[in-house]
């Protein structure tokens, strides 16, 4: 791989799903300085309280109830 990487501080990423792997990649991306948005099939209220607090504390934009094309392309 060259010096160019896809994961860089200042980039934006959308993570689909807040399951085990989704939570892990969100944390990783935040640690690398990537701006993260999350789309999940569940509504925000259906997520565990800890996940809702984590999203809010990290100012993560959240789309619940499905994965719209508009959100995914942002």
């Amino acid at each position: 791989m060259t010096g160019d990487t896809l994961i860089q501080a200042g980039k934006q990423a959308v993570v689909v799903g807040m399951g085990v792997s989704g939570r892990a990649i969100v944390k990783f991306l935040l640690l690398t300085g990537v701006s993260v948005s999350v789309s999940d099939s569940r509504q925000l209220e259906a997520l565990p309280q800890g996940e809702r607090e984590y999203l809010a504390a990290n100012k993560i934009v959240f789309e619940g109830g499905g994965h719209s094309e508009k959100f995914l392309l942002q």
Side-chain angles (χ1 to χ4, degrees):
M1 179 169 223
T2 67
D4 298 330
T5 61
L6 297 176
I7 300 173
Q8 297 175 353
K11 295 262 185 173
Q12 293 183 323
V14 175
V15 174
V16 177
M18 278 296 287
V20 174
S21 59
R23 287 190 304 270
I25 194 64
V26 165
K27 290 178 183 179
F28 171 76
L29 291 169
L30 290 175
L31 287 172
T32 59
V34 173
S35 175
V36 179
S37 299
V38 172
S39 179
D40 196 277
S41 60
R42 297 170 288 174
Q43 294 294 340
L44 183 62
E45 300 78 27
L47 295 178
Q49 180 67 28
E51 287 185 18
R52 294 192 310 261
E53 291 171 356
Y54 183 82
L55 292 170
N58 289 285
K59 298 179 176 85
I60 297 171
V61 176
F62 180 83
E63 172 191 51
H67 315 296
S68 69
E69 182 177 357
K70 180 180 178 182
F71 190 85
L72 297 175
L73 292 175
Q74 66 180 338

